[in-house]
Amino acid sequence: METTTKGFKKTGTVVAVIVYCLLILWTLVNLFPIYWMFTFSLKSNDEIYGQNIIGLPHKFLWENYKTAAHTGRMGLYFTNSVIIAVATIILTLIAAVMATYAMSRIVWKGRKLMNKFFMLGLTIPIHSSIVPVYITLKKLGMLNSYQALIVPYAAFSLAMAILICMGFMDDIPIQLDEAARIDGCGLWGTFFRIIVPLMLPALSTVGIYTFLQCWNEFMFANVFNTKEFIRTLPVGIQQLSGQHTTQWGPIGAALVIATFPTLFVYMLLSKKIQSSFMAGAIKG
Amino acid sequence: MDKMKEKNKTAEVSLSADAISEKIKRRNKIYKGVSVFLFLTPALILFCGVLIFPIGASIYYSFFDWNGFGTKTFVGFANYVELFTSQIIPFPLALKNSLLLAVLSVFIQLPLSLALALALGRGIKGERFFLSVFFAPVLISTVIIGQLWLKIYNPDYGLLNSFLRQLGLEEKIMALTGDIKDVLWLGNSKIALGAAFVPILWQYVGYHMLLLYAGVKGVPVELREAAMLDGASYGQVNRYIVIPHIKPIIKISVIFAVTGSLKSFDLIWVLTNGGPLHATEVPSTLMINMLFLHNRYGMGSTIAVLLIALCFLFAVLISAAFRKED
């Protein structure tokens, strides 16, 4: 059977053309709003409002970024987001790898059941926690603090992290553990010297996934951390746009500042990010 | 005599050796048990403290009238009854809106995602590029996407109305929607929910596409080729080979689309905050308003509990529907 292009039968060229048109159209629909965001972040109101709506900026107004950073305090929100994301990733990784080790390498009754218990977390929505966690934080006087977000974020990332770690750890040959045991390593020695170093690729997958979750999270952040000094980027931007409804340039700049890190990481690691999203959905 | 003594001695030795090994075994067992416990502790504290215990607490609060700091008054199922009968709290409307979003997701978003996944899944030129572009919006914060679409929908200067004005179409659409000055996409209660759905569609098509794409990639090449050799057209291969093969993933996509719509919050909050006149109100926006506008923690918890129950119920129903089809 002759084929013209890979996967298309000769008679299917019409289909091929239609398919490509659909794909290119959807690419434009996807990219245009993002392109527009980048361009209006560098424009003056005059250009945005009529003279030059969709073209590249005639005059690149970098001041918009200065305004966003200074009066918009984007630098502060950015730092808060970074601190919270990094701490969440560390906490999630420690808890997930330790728990996975206990369930994957140590033989005991009920380890399968324990794993199923953790997997419940994949289906529990954050709505179920918002009131009790808010009240607990209020009682402890911990609203408007880093830990007010770090702990809940880590808890909600945990199920996914354990799922990914389990997949990796089950693939590490058990003979390595046995060899380590003969050489005199205990459970803890095996964990730190054998398992953790071999788990590094899984840890980066978990780290990226957790980063994306907490960098973009809004509901908890909007409720638990309302004071300016502790706001994360999504909450900060929401406030900023409420104050500067008529000045689009600085808001555009703020949007770009918040989006850039995720898009940058995505460009470097697109395959890894996609596979981490697939893993969660297909097993969960 | 001597022999006897010797025998006894060896028996003693072997006995004590047994005791020792027994002791070692027990010590190992304790060591293992303690280790398992310690390895699990951080995860268990996080998981039970933030996820498991609060579910119980939410259910408990839902039976009380409580402003968050004063005394709780037990009211039984009164909160649940009030939600469905109240003239002030538009919960039935919010539920209807979120179910409408679910229907739109399943019948517009998923077919589009499936079409893209099928197109990419059989290996065409630029596959990686298209895949990466289509998935990109999933990674952008919903707040940012909401802000971006607020600018697109802006009645005076927005991208959409400017474009329609250039084409001379704005007047015609205004006649249809009943707007007077400009088309108020998010401010007109007739079209606001539909307008709010578009950014949701825009953001999450890529997500479902990725899941389905993974499924399409998992279809054995031999199956596809065998069908092609038998003279099946491209459409027939998809219809009779690929789609039946990826049914489990379609099921997951449907569950995610429906439960995601029920839980939807971020984009609605940013775009309309549930307005105008509750036209885009969803259970989550109502829940947050109950908590922080009206200080009704019992009622907020009631909405949360109903939401979780509904998500669970729909997941079970959808699974059952798919099983029945087989």
Side-chain angles (χ1 to χ4, degrees):
Chain A
M1 194 143 293
E2 275 181 72
T3 51
T4 44
T5 42
K6 214 169 125 201
F8 288 106
K9 273 201 292 183
K10 201 172 186 179
T11 47
T13 18
V14 184
V15 180
V17 171
I18 295 170
V19 165
Y20 270 106
C21 286
L22 176 78
L23 291 177
I24 289 165
L25 182 73
W26 191 251
T27 307
L28 291 176
V29 171
N30 259 273
L31 290 182
F32 188 72
I34 298 172
Y35 155 84
W36 187 60
M37 173 177 86
F38 273 91
T39 52
F40 87 67
S41 76
L42 289 164
K43 287 177 184 172
S44 65
N45 269 358
D46 290 340
E47 283 193 53
I48 299 166
Y49 288 174
Q51 290 170 9
N52 177 22
I53 299 172
I54 58 171
L56 286 170
H58 295 316
K59 217 180 112 208
F60 285 72
L61 265 187
W62 293 104
E63 279 110 276
N64 287 341
Y65 281 82
K66 241 187 231 163
T67 314
H70 284 285
T71 56
R73 313 215 62 183
M74 289 304 288
L76 173 72
Y77 304 149
F78 195 92
T79 318
N80 288 340
S81 275
V82 170
I83 291 171
I84 289 170
V86 170
T88 304
I89 291 169
I90 293 171
L91 185 58
T92 309
L93 286 178
I94 292 173
V97 178
M98 285 177 71
T100 310
Y101 182 71
M103 294 183 293
S104 164
R105 309 308 262 204
I106 308 177
V107 182
W108 52 285
K109 241 190 228 164
R111 61 187 183 135
K112 292 257 157 63
L113 198 70
M114 182 61 83
N115 190 30
K116 278 199 180 127
F117 174 66
F118 280 120
M119 288 308 108
L120 281 178
L122 292 173
T123 51
I124 298 175
I126 70 170
H127 300 66
S128 60
S129 295
I130 195 156
V131 182
V133 172
Y134 177 78
I135 288 164
T136 311
L137 287 170
K138 203 168 165 183
K139 272 188 193 150
L140 296 173
M142 290 212 293
L143 288 171
N144 294 304
S145 68
Y146 289 126
Q147 64 267 32
L149 291 178
I150 292 167
V151 174
Y153 285 174
F156 274 96
S157 310
L158 199 59
M160 184 68 178
I162 290 177
L163 178 75
I164 296 172
C165 287
M166 267 295 191
F168 266 78
M169 212 183 277
D170 284 344
D171 285 345
I172 300 174
I174 194 88
Q175 285 87 339
L176 284 176
D177 292 44
E178 285 159 5
R181 214 58 62 70
I182 290 164
D183 288 346
C185 279
L187 287 172
W188 295 83
T190 316
F191 175 70
F192 284 112
R193 293 199 202 145
I194 309 291
I195 298 294
V196 171
L198 286 172
M199 284 295 284
L200 289 178
L203 300 191
S204 66
T205 307
V206 174
I208 293 163
Y209 188 85
T210 311
F211 165 77
L212 291 169
Q213 296 302 311
C214 51
W215 188 262
N216 292 338
E217 204 281 335
F218 180 62
M219 195 193 253
F220 278 171
N222 188 38
V223 170
F224 298 162
N225 283 1
T226 45
K227 295 239 168 76
E228 188 183 79
F229 74 96
I230 200 85
R231 274 179 207 150
T232 58
L233 276 171
V235 184
I237 284 174
Q238 184 63 7
Q239 300 286 337
L240 185 69
S241 67
Q243 294 154 5
H244 300 261
T245 41
T246 51
Q247 277 194 304
W248 287 24
I251 292 173
L255 298 182
V256 172
I257 292 170
T259 316
F260 187 72
T262 39
L263 288 186
F264 183 71
V265 172
Y266 183 53
M267 273 178 208
L268 295 178
L269 302 163
S270 62
K271 223 169 190 168
K272 195 152 204 170
I273 290 173
Q274 288 161 8
S275 66
S276 78
F277 272 80
M278 284 190 255
I282 284 158
K283 286 189 189 162
Chain B
M1 254 314 240
D2 272 4
K3 250 186 182 173
M4 268 289 248
K5 237 182 189 173
E6 204 128 289
K7 219 177 179 181
N8 268 342
K9 220 177 188 177
T10 45
E12 240 166 57
V13 168
S14 74
L15 190 82
S16 61
D18 266 2
I20 288 167
S21 79
E22 193 66 23
K23 224 175 175 180
I24 290 173
K25 252 189 203 161
R26 197 176 312 144
R27 241 182 50 197
N28 273 343
K29 216 174 176 184
I30 293 169
Y31 168 70
K32 200 170 84 176
V34 171
S35 295
V36 165
F37 178 74
L38 289 177
F39 274 117
L40 285 172
T41 304
L44 277 177
I45 291 175
L46 277 176
F47 197 69
C48 295
V50 183
L51 274 82
I52 302 298
F53 163 73
I55 291 182
S58 289
I59 296 172
Y60 175 74
Y61 293 150
S62 76
F63 295 115
F64 288 88
D65 188 18
W66 186 34
N67 62 9
F69 37 88
T71 47
K72 302 188 195 74
T73 323
F74 183 77
V75 293
F77 283 94
N79 284 332
Y80 290 87
V81 174
E82 190 186 342
L83 265 187
F84 285 98
T85 54
S86 163
Q87 302 294 315
I88 306 154
I89 307 171
F91 184 73
L93 176 68
L95 202 57
K96 198 189 92 192
N97 284 339
S98 64
L99 288 175
L100 208 62
L101 288 179
V103 170
L104 290 173
S105 298
V106 172
F107 292 101
I108 297 176
Q109 188 178 41
L110 289 190
L112 185 56
S113 308
L114 184 61
L116 293 171
L118 288 173
L120 292 181
R122 57 171 177 179
I124 58 169
K125 245 189 198 154
E127 184 182 341
R128 286 269 343 139
F129 168 78
F130 286 123
L131 191 73
S132 297
V133 170
F134 298 164
F135 188 66
V138 180
L139 302 174
I140 300 174
S141 159
T142 38
V143 173
I144 291 165
I145 286 175
Q147 287 298 338
L148 189 57
W149 280 83
L150 273 180
K151 303 281 179 263
I152 292 174
Y153 280 137
N154 184 290
D156 302 313
Y157 311 112
L159 202 54
L160 186 57
N161 277 353
S162 305
F163 179 68
L164 291 172
R165 240 170 261 147
Q166 297 259 306
L167 294 178
L169 283 173
E170 203 194 0
E171 306 264 311
K172 282 178 192 155
I173 294 177
M174 274 156 59
L176 285 175
T177 60
D179 286 311
I180 297 156
K181 192 167 153 272
D182 292 292
V183 185
L184 304 170
W185 294 103
L186 296 165
N188 181 334
S189 57
K190 272 190 254 170
I191 52 171
L193 190 65
F197 174 69
V198 174
I200 298 177
L201 172 95
W202 185 81
Q203 178 166 28
Y204 291 112
V205 159
Y207 180 66
H208 294 288
M209 175 215 63
L210 187 75
L211 302 188
L212 296 164
Y213 167 85
V216 174
K217 275 286 168 193
V219 177
V221 185
E222 305 85 63
L223 273 182
R224 206 188 273 270
E225 277 172 358
M228 293 280 236
L229 277 175
D230 289 343
S233 71
Y234 169 58
Q236 284 169 324
V237 172
N238 282 338
R239 170 82 184 75
Y240 297 107
I241 309 286
V242 180
I243 291 181
H245 201 271
I246 62 170
K247 230 177 185 178
I249 297 180
I250 296 180
K251 182 188 85 182
I252 288 169
S253 259
V254 173
I255 291 176
F256 280 1
V258 171
T259 54
S261 303
L262 285 169
K263 291 184 289 186
S264 57
F265 172 74
D266 299 10
L267 270 172
I268 301 282
W269 185 264
V270 175
L271 288 169
T272 62
N273 208 342
L277 298 169
H278 301 298
T280 58
E281 200 78 73
V282 286
S284 301
T285 53
L286 211 53
M287 176 183 87
I288 296 292
N289 281 335
M290 278 301 132
L291 296 178
F292 302 103
L293 224 60
H294 303 284
N295 275 324
R296 295 193 61 181
Y297 288 75
M299 189 56 90
S301 303
T302 309
I303 297 175
V305 170
L306 279 174
L307 212 53
I308 304 159
L310 280 172
C311 285
F312 186 72
L313 178 74
F314 272 98
V316 171
L317 284 179
I318 293 163
S319 295
F322 270 84
R323 213 172 302 131
K324 212 175 160 193
E325 253 201 27
D326 286 336

